Amino acid sequence: MLKFAVLGEVRAWRGENPLDLGPKQRRAVLAALLLRRGRSATVADLVADVWGDRATASAVGALRNHILHLRKILEPDRAAGTPPAVLVGFAGGYALRLPPAAVDIDLAEQYATEAERASDAALAHDRLQDALSLWAGTPLAGLPGPHAERRRAQLTERRLSLLERRLEADLRLGRHAEAITELQPLAAEHPLREKTRELLMTAFYHAGRRAEALEVFADTRATLVESLGLEPGPRLVDLQQRILRAEPAPTRPAPVAERVRVAQLPADIADFTGRADWVRRMVEHLTAPGGAVPVCAIAGMGGVGKSTLAVHVAHLVRDHFPDGQLHVDLHGFERRGSAADTLGDFLRALGVPEGEIAASAQQRAAQFRSRLDGKRVLVVLDNARDAEQVAPLIPGTAGSAVLITSRSALPELPGAVGVRLDEMTAAEASTLLARIVGGDRVDAEPEAAEAVVRACGRLPLAVRIIGARLASRPRWTIAAIADRLADSRRRLGLLRTGDLAVEPVFRLGYDQLEPQQAKAFRMLAGPEVEDLPLPGAAAMLGLDRDEAEYLCESLVDLSLLDATAAGRYTHHDLLRLFARELGPADETEALPRLLDFYLATMKNVVAVCNPGTRLPEYLETTRARGLSFSDGADAQCWLNTERRNLVALFRQAARLSAAASPAPALCADLAWAMAELIDGGPHAQELSRALEELLAAALRAGDRDLECRVRVALGSVLTYALARMSTGRDHQRIALSLGSDSPGNARLTAFAAQMLAGSARVGVEVAASLAHAERAIRLARRLGDPAIECGCLIQVAKTLSDDGRFEESVASAERGLDLAQQIGNNALEAMALHELGAALAYRDEHERAIELCTRAVESARRSGMSLRVGLALARLAHVYMLAGELIRAEPIAAEAVENITRAAGPLHRGRVMLMHGLVLQGLGRTTQARQVLRATAEIVVQLEEADLVHERIAAELAVPVMAMLREQVDAVHAERVAG
């Protein structure tokens, strides 16, 4: 077996015998391939890695010569004419095919992963020490080339990180003296590494050497201030304060928020039966080493057990994919959702912030492939429609694997290993039935059991449904079920594939239900949502929560409903279609009842997030009470959880007649209420598309009230979440023209005017912005809605400040602040405070401005809305910057970017990032500043209305600043043209 080392000199062994790898340049080629961990490298890649800028015309020839010699070294016994099995070639490049942990860095990472999963500190310590013992000097020692230089620094940093983790384990084990012995020279060698200093302080303190612990802090602070002009981080400061107060310090430093590994697989089936040959072959294929992404595609009819087999196999191989497992139900049979939606969910699960997720499916697919590059992730795509649907969801580089289920065989999917799953054998189906209902019952009625299995078509889903029914009714005989199945009049085909039908399976399960269960089964299949929350199901069924839960769980027990999580339910898509075919008259109320529940809850969300508003009075009257919330954070969390369902319901309602169903009107009110929170939240792109469909329905129906509500909501999303300002303002203007100042429409007109006041300000239309705000204020006062009035006063303050009219801006902000405090609205109070602070800062009243903006952040945090927190932090950083306190501005600006990225669209994010870049530039951190400005330029270039953004930014910033941004924008454009 071949083994390799890169954590020191590059070496290789066959068994225990060392191999002569030749000169340094040849070992550099080998190292470049080893560190790609099985991924391929083109000739151009390898030349750049080894020769860099010094590459000559002879470099390609030299590379091929090195490859030839390495193949002889690695496979000396390979017969002439036989293709290489280790250092393989492909069109234009090369790759190494090695077993897991053949390279010392891979083994080190394996030990590090085992340490993360260790149940106690001693085991974690030992595994980390095992990893560290693999370093044998400077990584890639003596190797030439830019790749070796770059990776040498990364591997050295990795060793330091593992060493700190092992020393942390020492402290947890009480080995303080031993840790001090190692930490003192390590801290001296890396004086700016705060983590090491934190560990040393902790060790001294627990060793009873309190003075020395404080001395470490003092020395660290002096070094940081002298070298970087920075104060120690919050963890060091917190530890120092604990020591000064003689409080019990933690036995380990405050942990960094650890990355949660994606683990989306559903639970394995405890009574999984049969399929042994397919299981073995699929496990072998998914875990086999190779340069391509292994893909298994399981095909078969509904109910044949495709999903169960996929999940079972996925659990068997999950340890082979330590970076996680992604799972999605693609609902292929119903054609629900899109590749873009799925990619968005995968990117969120992989840690990509909402603000960084691209708009198009093609861009999201590229992001997904980049995110999985170098990682080992299992992707399970359940219930796929066709190859076109799954193609964007397949990783692009080796290491990951894909498991697909579909009713189609997907022969057009390149490189996939197809698994055609047929019904179980009679013996397997009988075994499954016995495992569900009990072997004694099957043994007592073998002929009846055989008849049941035969009538079920030996389909696992059918056997499971019947078995569950028998298991829950121990007094029933198997013969009683067999007799019912024998009645051919009940075997009407609904979903057929050849001679085999799924409908008898579903029909039999349905016919066993009590009337209340049957009604629930039909009604819950109506809404086209991912899954139903229990309170929503209760509202649809007209039951209290406990009764609804009992009913839903009884359907889950019978395999007629799935529980996706505690308190959330869904139908399998084929069962959903079956239930809809059954639906009698009263099930037409299913969708309106669910929307009624959502609207009632949304009224409560608005009330708790926006105190002082009278919006709920102008929305449709609801029968349900809806959920209540303790604070804004709780309400915002609920809305973010349900936003995807709301998007799906908007699309479903758009297909209904507004005259025949109340659903479109309920959806329009829901959208209006969401818009008044002015918080982009997740799924903004998907929401805008759903609202466009709802708007088209309103136009078809000629319903102006419905159109007006939808346009206001759509304009808000386009403007504030997606930075499509011109299109957003068009919708708002049309809505304003459709509305009136009559009592019935005045509230919506006031909100539309408020939205236009804000979006016109963003477009530098000062007079128009003020006029719209004045109209909204006049209407709000007439209606007695202080929240609208307050929001507009703050908009006026912003507009006047942007126009240089600071005295007027201060007066408007103060009126807004007084009103926000009167109605107890934390979000509006935060906005008023930071706009007042900004206006004062422009008047050089910096101390007062900083105090106000600090209070604004506190108020925003109380509101529970991430966008408000981000905007308040941005203003605080801004006033610190105006005051010349750049060191204090920088971490606040960075935190503002983090909050804005989670909650808002590209326009807000780009503007705050630009400010962060300016602060970094002012601190002399030019490399970081250039990176941030470049990222800002990338955002601006991708916006649909980049010129309008430039206009807005140019109105705020000095010419040199715009020149810096323009330079980065031009660079991005040039690269795209060249590409």
Side-chain angles (χ1 to χ4, degrees):
M1 176 181 174
L2 290 169
K3 295 184 296 183
F4 299 85
V6 295
L7 301 177
E9 292 184 356
V10 174
R11 294 171 292 165
W13 298 264
R14 178 174 289 101
E16 299 302 320
N17 300 317
L19 302 179
D20 182 7
L21 297 176
K24 291 181 177 180
Q25 200 172 73
R26 185 172 302 153
R27 286 187 282 123
V29 172
L30 176 61
L33 290 167
L34 287 171
L35 290 170
R36 277 179 166 79
R37 298 181 176 179
R39 300 190 305 277
S40 57
T42 65
V43 169
D45 291 335
L46 293 172
V47 169
D49 286 351
V50 178
W51 284 270
D53 295 334
R54 298 192 302 275
T56 64
S58 63
V60 173
L63 172 65
R64 298 193 189 281
N65 186 54
H66 288 315
I67 294 292
L68 178 64
H69 280 87
L70 285 171
R71 283 174 167 169
K72 291 179 179 179
I73 294 166
L74 299 178
E75 295 184 83
D77 300 325
R78 180 169 57 89
T82 304
V86 178
L87 207 173
V88 299
F90 65 97
Y94 304 93
L96 282 169
R97 298 291 177 258
L98 300 171
V103 187
D104 56 357
I105 182 58
D106 294 339
L107 185 58
E109 293 299 339
Q110 178 181 315
Y111 287 143
T113 299
E114 291 174 5
E116 286 183 3
R117 300 174 180 172
S119 58
D120 60 77
L123 181 58
H125 174 278
D126 292 344
R127 286 294 172 268
L128 290 167
Q129 187 57 44
D130 289 341
L132 291 166
S133 68
L134 295 172
W135 266 264
T138 302
L140 309 175
L143 291 195
H147 178 265
E149 182 178 347
R150 186 169 61 251
R151 296 307 299 265
R152 188 178 295 119
Q154 292 172 354
L155 293 171
T156 300
E157 171 61 28
R158 183 56 174 154
R159 179 186 176 278
L160 280 173
S161 176
L162 292 174
L163 179 56
E164 286 172 338
R165 285 175 55 191
R166 200 223 67 206
L167 288 164
E168 185 176 332
D170 279 325
L171 296 183
R172 293 172 65 190
L173 293 168
R175 301 170 182 171
H176 308 121
E178 296 91 332
I180 290 170
T181 302
E182 285 192 72
L183 282 165
Q184 283 182 305
L186 189 65
E189 184 180 356
H190 303 280
L192 301 179
R193 199 173 179 91
E194 291 191 43
K195 175 75 172 179
T196 304
R197 296 299 182 104
E198 185 183 0
L199 289 168
L200 183 55
M201 286 177 65
T202 304
F204 272 134
Y205 186 49
H206 278 282
R209 297 159 68 174
R210 181 184 178 203
E212 289 170 272
L214 293 171
E215 185 177 352
V216 171
F217 178 87
D219 178 67
T220 302
R221 181 180 183 278
T223 302
L224 289 172
V225 171
E226 180 179 349
S227 301
L228 304 176
L230 296 175
E231 291 290 333
R235 291 180 180 170
L236 275 180
V237 173
D238 179 68
L239 182 56
Q240 181 223 22
Q241 293 300 312
R242 286 172 175 266
I243 295 171
L244 287 172
R245 295 191 297 266
E247 293 180 359
T251 57
R252 58 181 295 185
V256 178
E258 59 183 59
R259 178 178 64 89
V260 178
R261 188 179 73 158
V262 181
Q264 296 183 340
L265 294 179
D268 199 0
I269 303 299
D271 54 18
F272 182 85
T273 303
R275 317 294 196 189
D277 186 53
W278 279 126
V279 169
R280 177 185 56 78
R281 292 167 63 178
M282 292 169 66
V283 167
E284 288 176 356
H285 180 67
L286 292 170
T287 58
V293 175
V295 178
C296 280
I298 307 172
M301 65 165 296
V304 80
K306 302 181 298 294
S307 300
T308 299
L309 176 61
V311 170
H312 181 69
V313 170
H315 277 280
L316 292 177
V317 302
R318 69 190 302 271
D319 288 340
H320 193 76
F321 300 94
D323 295 312
Q325 306 88 41
L326 293 166
H327 178 277
V328 63
D329 183 353
L330 294 172
H331 301 286
F333 196 78
E334 288 188 318
R335 294 184 171 268
R336 186 147 53 93
S338 67
D341 296 336
T342 301
L343 286 164
D345 290 339
F346 277 177
L347 291 168
R348 293 178 189 102
L350 291 168
V352 178
E354 183 72 23
E356 293 181 9
I357 296 176
S360 72
Q362 185 177 8
Q363 291 170 326
R364 290 184 177 190
Q367 282 184 301
F368 179 64
R369 292 192 294 271
S370 298
R371 198 73 175 182
L372 293 192
D373 184 36
K375 293 185 170 59
R376 292 163 62 187
V377 173
L378 178 65
V379 182
V380 181
L381 307 175
D382 193 22
N383 217 353
R385 180 176 65 248
D386 49 34
E388 181 181 0
Q389 185 185 33
V390 300
L393 309 176
I394 296 177
T397 51
S400 295
V402 181
L403 190 51
I404 303 170
T405 72
S406 175
R407 296 185 69 202
S408 304
L410 308 182
E412 64 272 41
L413 198 63
V417 171
V419 176
R420 184 71 191 185
L421 203 61
D422 295 320
E423 65 270 24
M424 285 179 151
T425 66
E428 288 174 338
S430 295
T431 300
L432 177 59
L433 181 64
R435 288 180 175 176
I436 297 171
V437 306
D440 292 341
R441 293 178 71 182
V442 170
D443 291 341
E445 298 180 84
E447 293 181 358
E450 182 180 346
V452 166
V453 166
R454 187 169 54 250
C456 287
R458 304 196 307 274
L459 294 177
L461 179 59
V463 174
R464 188 169 298 281
I465 291 171
I466 302 305
R469 195 65 181 170
L470 285 167
S472 65
R473 286 163 173 75
R475 292 188 178 88
W476 280 26
T477 64
I478 300 177
I481 290 287
D483 289 342
R484 297 190 182 196
L485 285 171
D487 186 354
S488 59
R489 293 172 299 178
R490 308 181 71 176
R491 295 188 180 182
L492 299 176
L494 178 65
L495 302 171
R496 294 186 178 276
T497 301
D499 296 330
L500 197 61
V502 176
E503 193 271 345
V505 176
F506 298 155
R507 171 66 66 177
L508 179 64
Y510 175 77
D511 285 350
Q512 307 301 315
L513 298 179
E514 303 294 338
Q516 192 177 37
Q517 287 178 314
K519 181 178 179 181
F521 175 72
R522 296 191 304 268
M523 290 195 72
L524 297 180
E528 297 175 359
V529 295
E530 187 74 13
D531 54 17
L532 280 167
L534 176 58
M540 291 173 64
L541 300 172
L543 302 173
D544 65 33
R545 185 179 178 126
D546 290 341
E547 291 173 330
E549 183 173 26
Y550 177 82
L551 195 55
C552 289
E553 288 295 328
S554 72
L555 292 173
V556 171
D557 291 341
L558 294 172
S559 300
L560 292 173
L561 199 65
D562 292 330
T564 58
R568 300 194 75 89
Y569 302 96
T570 190
H571 287 78
H572 182 279
D573 54 359
L574 298 179
L575 279 169
R576 187 192 307 278
L577 289 174
F578 170 73
R580 289 175 182 168
E581 290 286 337
L582 297 168
D586 60 348
E587 274 64 61
T588 58
E589 291 295 313
L591 181 60
R593 288 185 186 182
L594 180 61
L595 289 170
D596 180 86
F597 158 76
Y598 272 125
L599 182 58
T601 302
M602 196 65 212
K603 291 178 181 180
N604 297 337
V605 170
V606 170
V608 75
C609 289
N610 193 23
T613 182
R614 296 187 63 184
L615 171 65
E617 301 172 28
Y618 296 90
L619 302 176
E620 292 280 347
T621 302
T622 51
R623 292 178 296 179
R625 293 183 179 180
L627 300 177
S628 57
F629 305 98
S630 58
D631 53 34
D634 189 23
Q636 194 70 41
C637 180
W638 175 86
L639 178 57
N640 288 341
T641 299
E642 299 299 330
R643 199 181 299 263
R644 185 171 178 178
N645 272 1
L646 294 173
V647 169
L649 292 171
F650 290 173
R651 286 179 167 169
Q652 184 177 0
R655 300 195 298 271
L656 302 176
S657 165
S661 171
L666 289 166
C667 286
D669 275 5
L670 272 164
W672 178 11
M674 292 168 69
E676 291 226 359
L677 294 177
I678 316 178
D679 191 346
H683 305 292
Q685 293 156 356
E686 293 87 345
L687 176 59
S688 69
R689 290 193 290 269
L691 290 174
E692 286 167 352
E693 294 175 21
L694 198 59
L695 175 60
L699 293 172
R700 288 194 303 270
D703 189 326
R704 295 185 62 174
D705 287 341
L706 182 63
E707 178 189 351
C708 192
R709 283 165 161 76
V710 177
R711 284 193 187 276
V712 167
L714 180 57
S716 174
V717 174
L718 293 174
T719 301
Y720 291 100
L722 299 178
R724 292 169 57 187
M725 293 164 289
S726 179
T727 307
R729 283 205 302 271
D730 287 345
H731 283 295
Q732 291 160 356
R733 286 176 179 138
I734 294 172
L736 201 60
S737 68
L738 291 173
S740 69
D741 292 356
S742 64
N745 292 319
R747 180 59 178 72
L748 184 63
T749 302
F751 179 63
Q754 182 187 8
M755 290 295 95
L756 268 174
S759 59
R761 184 189 63 81
V762 172
V764 203
E765 301 176 15
V766 173
S769 175
L770 293 175
H772 289 308
E774 288 170 4
R775 181 179 181 184
I777 290 171
R778 184 177 64 254
L779 289 171
R781 287 173 177 166
R782 196 181 90 196
L783 296 168
D785 195 312
I788 288 281
E789 180 182 355
C790 180
C792 289
L793 288 170
I794 297 167
Q795 289 282 10
V796 168
K798 288 182 180 180
T799 303
L800 293 171
S801 180
D802 291 345
D803 200 37
R805 296 154 65 179
F806 302 123
E807 296 295 335
E808 296 172 78
S809 174
V810 167
S812 186
E814 286 177 339
R815 289 198 299 274
L817 177 59
D818 288 342
L819 191 52
Q821 290 173 337
Q822 288 174 27
I823 62 179
N825 192 313
N826 288 315
L828 290 174
E829 180 181 357
M831 293 171 61
L833 283 167
H834 63 63
E835 291 315 307
L836 178 57
L840 293 174
Y842 284 122
R843 294 193 333 192
D844 295 328
E845 298 180 36
H846 298 303
E847 185 175 349
R848 176 65 173 153
I850 291 169
E851 185 267 329
L852 288 169
C853 289
T854 301
R855 286 172 52 196
V857 173
E858 295 169 356
S859 294
R861 293 193 195 281
R862 288 195 298 272
S863 78
M865 301 173 74
S866 293
L867 177 60
R868 300 303 174 203
V869 175
L871 294 176
L873 286 166
R875 274 301 196 195
L876 179 57
H878 186 199
V879 298
Y880 270 125
M881 184 174 69
L882 293 175
E885 298 189 39
L886 299 184
I887 291 177
R888 300 185 70 178
E890 191 280 325
I892 297 171
E895 187 181 355
V897 171
E898 182 181 343
N899 275 271
I900 292 289
T901 298
R902 285 199 304 266
L907 177 60
H908 284 303
R909 180 167 169 255
R911 293 174 63 190
V912 178
M913 285 177 65
L914 177 58
M915 179 183 64
H916 187 210
L918 298 179
V919 173
L920 291 168
Q921 188 78 21
L923 289 170
R925 292 157 63 176
T926 54
T927 300
Q928 288 178 270
R930 193 176 299 112
Q931 291 172 345
V932 172
L933 290 173
R934 176 55 177 252
T936 307
E938 292 276 2
I939 292 172
V940 171
V941 168
Q942 291 179 13
L943 295 177
E944 293 185 13
E945 300 167 26
D947 291 340
L948 188 56
V949 178
H950 281 216
E951 176 189 351
R952 176 60 194 156
I953 294 176
E956 294 182 346
L957 302 173
V959 172
V961 174
M962 284 305 298
M964 291 166 57
L965 181 59
R966 170 58 67 183
E967 178 184 350
Q968 297 296 331
V969 170
D970 291 344
V972 173
H973 276 303
E975 286 183 7
R976 295 191 174 188
V977 171

